[in-house]
Amino acid sequence: MKKEVLIILGSPNSPSGKLSDISLCRLNYCVNHYKTGNLILCTGGWGEHFNTSEHAHALLAKQYLIENGIPEAVFLDFALSGNTVEDAVKAKEILSALENIKLTIITSDYHVNRVNLIFNEILKNYTMDFIGVKSNLDKDVYDALELHETKAINAIIENGLYY
């Protein structure tokens, strides 16, 4: 039987390190779906658009997960990424040391289509499930994020994926 690796993609936090609602939705999904034997890979380093705190987003995520009952021993190295393509590239480096695994990639509902496109190219040799967690955002904010995602997907389709 394959070992499941839960990959939680990075998302915004405040300059003081407070996790955003988007982050909490993804992390709470992980807490609620974690089973003994799973491994966890947190992504997210720093970036103007999501984390300007002194700590990597992945560290903040790991701390939250541990505080909510996930054992520290199940965490893989951090993928200290600055965007979704780097999430996949850096995760691939970490995952390459493991055998007989399947991946569950946890992101947000508005982001899941682009993640699917990127991860299916970069990590094409893995069995993957994609979870788009409901983000509970105001309609205006959600619509703006969805528009951004549509533009990003179209750019990948038109120009290819560079990594």
Side-chain angles (χ1 to χ4, degrees):
M1 193 162 125
K2 292 187 182 229
K3 186 176 275 276
E4 186 173 9
V5 179
L6 304 172
I7 302 176
I8 304 104
L9 298 192
S11 46
N13 54 259
S14 74
S16 67
K18 183 178 186 295
L19 295 165
S20 68
D21 287 344
I22 292 171
S23 297
L24 293 172
C25 287
R26 294 178 188 186
L27 293 167
N28 288 330
Y29 181 93
C30 181
V31 167
N32 292 326
H33 290 81
Y34 170 80
K35 293 179 186 65
T36 301
N38 292 162
L39 297 172
I40 296 179
L41 195 164
C42 297
T43 76
W46 296 268
E48 285 298 316
H49 60 291
F50 76 102
N51 181 19
T52 58
S53 80
E54 64 179 287
H55 299 292
H57 177 79
L59 175 65
L60 300 171
K62 178 182 177 180
Q63 287 172 335
Y64 179 87
L65 293 170
I66 289 170
E67 287 165 9
N68 284 276
I70 306 286
E72 187 161 4
V74 306
F75 288 88
L76 298 170
D77 289 343
F78 296 144
L80 296 177
S81 49
N83 59 57
T84 308
V85 173
E86 284 184 7
D87 285 339
V89 170
K90 291 178 182 285
K92 184 177 182 181
E93 293 169 20
I94 295 162
L95 297 168
S96 67
L98 304 173
E99 292 181 5
N100 201 27
I101 58 172
K102 66 178 186 166
L103 312 179
T104 299
I105 294 94
I106 302 168
T107 188
S108 299
D109 46 7
Y110 63 84
H111 191 228
V112 72
N113 291 334
R114 180 159 58 111
V115 171
N116 197 319
L117 186 67
I118 292 167
F119 276 66
N120 273 314
E121 177 167 329
I122 297 172
L123 294 167
K124 59 182 161 271
N125 296 329
Y126 291 90
T127 302
M128 291 180 276
D129 286 322
F130 296 89
I131 306 299
V133 179
K134 185 162 175 34
S135 44
N136 299 321
L137 298 166
D138 290 336
K139 183 173 176 6
D140 293 352
V141 174
Y142 183 87
D143 289 348
L145 288 167
E146 236 183 5
L147 181 62
H148 168 79
E149 291 300 317
T150 300
K151 288 178 180 174
I153 288 168
N154 289 339
I156 292 168
I157 291 167
E158 288 173 24
N159 305 315
L161 196 56
Y162 298 98
Y163 57 97

